[in-house]
Each structure stands twice: as structure tokens, then as C-alpha cells.
Amino acid sequence: MIYRIIQPAPHLRTFVKEYCLLHFVFDKNTPIPVKPFPVRPQQSIVFYLQGCVKALNPATRTSTLFAKVSINGPQLSRFDFHLSPDYLMFSVDFQPGALSKFLRLHMTSDFIDNRIDAEAILNPDIHQVHERMANANQYERIVQVAEEYLCKRIQTLKTDFQPIDRIIRLIADNPTPFSVDQFAGQSCLSISQFERRFTQQIGIPPKLFARTNRFYRAFLLKDQNPDLDWLSIALQTGYTDYQHLVKDFKQFSGSTPNSLLLAHAQAPERILGIG
């Protein structure tokens, strides 16, 4: 069993931020804990290599069974994942704004809170990539197959990175309050052009993108530093006060900060002691 964050090869880092590899096996007679999946800013292509994911939206009570290779666009709602007892997943997490370039598509509203079957957008070769990864006899081979595919596709893209790409990364890395006017100027665009181009590339407007990044940074900081108090978490991640943080937690996770952390502590990889 394994839970590992893996850095991509240097020649892929313009597009790919990191990989996530998760594999666990539960006794079939043991109930599998639900994995809470709050709003997060990463946009990914996820390969479900063993088992499957059934996702429940607690707010709408609707459930979805993810395709074997899913494209994850902007996520603005919480989902609770119900996973198979034998579960193997490999996620390619893209740099902010890079998934749109990789797909050669704008991130329209169809991508929001959706896991789109990759075969509907990428050519059928993605199915063969999935099969090769699923049949790999080593974790390292899974990464190798993924990088071979990514490198081959990226080489076919006629993509130039522009000033707005730097601004998108800047907002993702430092999601504190900012001036749209200033960032538009630094992108060599008018305000309306900047907001339109940003939304086309990310799927949501700049201010909302900053909020989702700020929320997720606060969530991770507390998860990794459980003894740090919530006020310190709020101030370190750009919130004006604790109540400001609570408001975002309720919107983006459907629960209070402590309730989300308690649920996350019961996720399958935590129960197994691998993540």
C-alpha cells in the first residue's frame, strides 16, 4: 500500500505540478471509511487503475460514478468519496491554468464540479494508456507510462506561455487580497480582457480562484500542524480573522473547520496509516 506525492520529470514541469499515487487494500468484510473531498484548486487527469469511485454531493444528495480516466475541472462543491476495497489511483495534477492548454479547450461551465470522461476529449489512445498503467507490475512503471504519454502530447502542442500565466501562478501561490486592475496591467490586458482570459483558462474568476486556494491552504496547514490554533491558521493564510475563515469552510466544505478535519482524519489512507 502506498500514498505518495511524486515530482514530475523536469521537462514536464511547465505543465505538470505533481503526481499523486494512492493504493490501498481493505478487508472485504471491513467497512471502508468515506473520504471527504472538499473544494480544492488542483485541476487534474485521474487514472482509476483498480476499483472505482462513487462520489456523493452532500448538498444535492446526487451521486456519480467516475470514468476510468477522468478530467477534473474546477471544483466548487464538497464531495464524499466511496471507494472500492482494492483501490489504485494515479493523478496528474497540472500547474494552475495548464490543463486548459493541455486539452486545447477553455474551462467552460461544463467542467465545474464535474469529472469528464477523458475519452470524450482526448483521443482513444488514453484508454490504451490506462490499460498499460493498470497492468504495470511496479509503481515506478505507472509513472513512466504516464510521463511517456504526457511528453508525447505536450510535444504536439503549439503553446506559448504569456504574462497572464505568471499571474495565475502568482495568485495560486499567494492567494491574498489583490488588485484586478494591477494584475490586468501586468498581464498587458484590459480588466475585461484579463477577467475573460482568466476565466477561460481556469474556469472561474480570479477572486473566486484566490478564495479556493486560500481555503485549501488553510485546510492543509491545519492538517499538517494540528497544534496550531485556528486564528494563527487564518492570519497565516490571508484571512482577516477566524470568522472569515469559518465562512469559507462552510461554503467550500459544508462544515465547520474542526468537523472537516475530524472527517479527514478518518479517510481510508489515514486509517491505514499511509497518508
Side-chain angles (χ1 to χ4, degrees):
M1 295 187 287
I2 188 173
Y3 178 84
R4 183 181 300 167
I5 302 299
I6 303 166
Q7 295 303 306
H11 64 281
L12 296 174
R13 291 176 187 170
T14 303
F15 278 85
V16 181
K17 180 181 180 182
E18 62 190 18
Y19 308 119
C20 179
L21 177 64
L22 173 61
H23 183 204
F24 62 73
V25 180
F26 267 84
D27 186 304
K28 293 185 178 179
N29 296 319
T30 302
I32 304 173
V34 173
K35 180 178 177 62
F37 209 81
V39 169
R40 56 186 59 202
Q42 290 94 336
Q43 296 183 7
S44 313
I45 297 179
V46 184
F47 297 82
Y48 298 103
L49 305 175
Q50 291 179 25
C52 61
V53 175
K54 184 178 182 181
L56 173 69
N57 183 324
T60 64
R61 306 307 299 175
T62 58
S63 61
T64 305
L65 187 66
F66 293 167
K68 288 186 177 181
V69 186
S70 295
I71 296 172
N72 296 1
Q75 182 183 333
L76 299 179
S77 301
R78 171 176 169 167
F79 293 92
D80 288 336
F81 285 2
H82 297 260
L83 310 175
S84 301
D86 189 349
Y87 179 73
L88 173 59
M89 174 276 290
F90 183 81
S91 176
V92 178
D93 296 340
F94 285 82
Q95 297 284 3
L99 179 59
S100 173
K101 295 177 182 290
F102 186 83
L103 299 177
R104 300 191 185 105
L105 290 173
H106 292 159
M107 291 283 107
T108 64
S109 60
D110 292 335
F111 285 91
I112 295 177
D113 281 343
N114 204 357
R115 281 5 182 219
I116 295 175
D117 188 340
E119 288 194 47
I121 294 178
L122 300 169
N123 61 44
D125 289 348
I126 197 69
H127 176 75
Q128 297 175 9
V129 174
H130 176 276
E131 291 301 308
R132 291 173 61 203
M133 294 169 73
N135 291 322
N137 56 10
Q138 293 180 323
Y139 294 132
E140 292 78 9
R141 179 58 181 159
I142 293 174
V143 179
Q144 183 181 359
V145 171
E147 293 206 319
E148 289 171 357
Y149 167 72
L150 292 167
C151 183
K152 182 178 179 180
R153 180 169 176 86
I154 288 171
Q155 287 177 343
T156 69
L157 302 176
K158 296 180 180 179
T159 302
D160 61 324
F161 286 83
Q162 301 176 7
I164 191 172
D165 296 294
R166 181 181 62 82
I167 297 300
I168 290 172
R169 294 269 194 99
L170 181 62
I171 294 173
D173 293 339
N174 186 30
T176 53
F178 59 87
S179 165
V180 173
D181 294 17
Q182 181 180 1
F183 279 161
Q186 292 177 13
S187 302
C188 305
L189 299 168
S190 69
I191 294 175
S192 60
Q193 288 174 328
F194 173 75
E195 292 189 326
R196 183 176 67 254
R197 289 272 301 278
F198 192 104
T199 304
Q200 288 173 343
Q201 201 162 327
I202 293 295
I204 54 178
K207 295 287 189 180
L208 181 55
F209 178 66
R211 285 184 63 202
T212 60
N213 276 274
R214 185 167 58 239
F215 156 77
Y216 196 62
R217 286 166 67 90
F219 168 67
L220 288 182
L221 184 59
K222 179 63 174 178
D223 185 54
Q224 296 165 3
N225 302 273
D227 293 334
L228 200 59
D229 64 90
W230 279 112
L231 179 58
S232 297
I233 296 286
L235 297 178
Q236 286 187 36
T237 52
Y239 286 97
T240 54
D241 54 33
Y242 173 65
Q243 291 304 321
H244 186 196
L245 179 146
V246 170
K247 180 180 178 181
D248 272 4
F249 266 74
K250 288 182 176 179
Q251 177 173 342
F252 294 138
S253 74
S255 63
T256 64
N258 284 328
S259 295
L260 177 61
L261 267 294
L262 286 172
H264 185 64
Q266 298 300 310
E269 67 272 18
R270 294 298 178 89
I271 295 296
L272 294 172
I274 58 174

